[in-house]
Amino acid sequence: MPEPAITRDEVARLASLARIDLTPAELDHLAPQLAVILESVAKVSALATDDVPPTSHPLPLTNVFRPDEVRPSLDPQRVLSAAPASEQQRFAVPRILDEEP
């Protein structure tokens, strides 16, 4: 399998396409790192996975949430009575943006 490699000039071109401004030192640093990443991807791509079904998770999962059941909850009037301010059966909070409602 040929070894994937990426040159400093190719990294500069990719950075330009992505609108990322890299210094010459960053280009020198990133080129070998990206070459290692490309090599790793090539190794994974070369694996014989024809008999492996696609999955979203390597282990079987079960739903760990409780059943969605209607249960009694707090009374809205009681909750709003403890709030510093309420309006139209909702908590009223100070405006933080200068936008009109």
Side-chain angles (χ1 to χ4, degrees):
M1 160 172 68
E3 201 172 295
I6 186 164
T7 66
R8 183 182 187 278
D9 291 338
E10 290 170 325
V11 173
R13 171 106 170 101
L14 289 172
S16 172
L17 291 172
R19 305 283 194 265
I20 300 172
D21 189 23
L22 297 176
T23 65
E26 290 171 323
L27 290 172
D28 291 335
H29 182 72
L30 286 174
Q33 290 182 346
L34 290 173
V36 170
I37 292 170
L38 288 175
E39 183 180 325
S40 299
V41 169
K43 286 179 184 177
V44 170
S45 298
L47 294 175
T49 57
D50 295 337
D51 59 339
V52 178
T55 60
S56 62
H57 197 275
L59 302 173
L61 296 177
T62 57
N63 188 352
V64 296
F65 298 108
R66 65 170 171 75
D68 191 13
E69 299 171 352
V70 176
R71 301 186 317 187
S73 62
L74 296 174
D75 175 54
Q77 294 304 326
R78 183 174 165 209
V79 171
L80 289 173
S81 70
S86 65
E87 184 178 298
Q88 297 179 352
Q89 294 186 338
R90 299 181 188 143
F91 294 106
V93 296
R95 181 179 299 276
I96 59 170
L97 301 175
D98 292 331
E99 298 176 5
E100 292 295 319

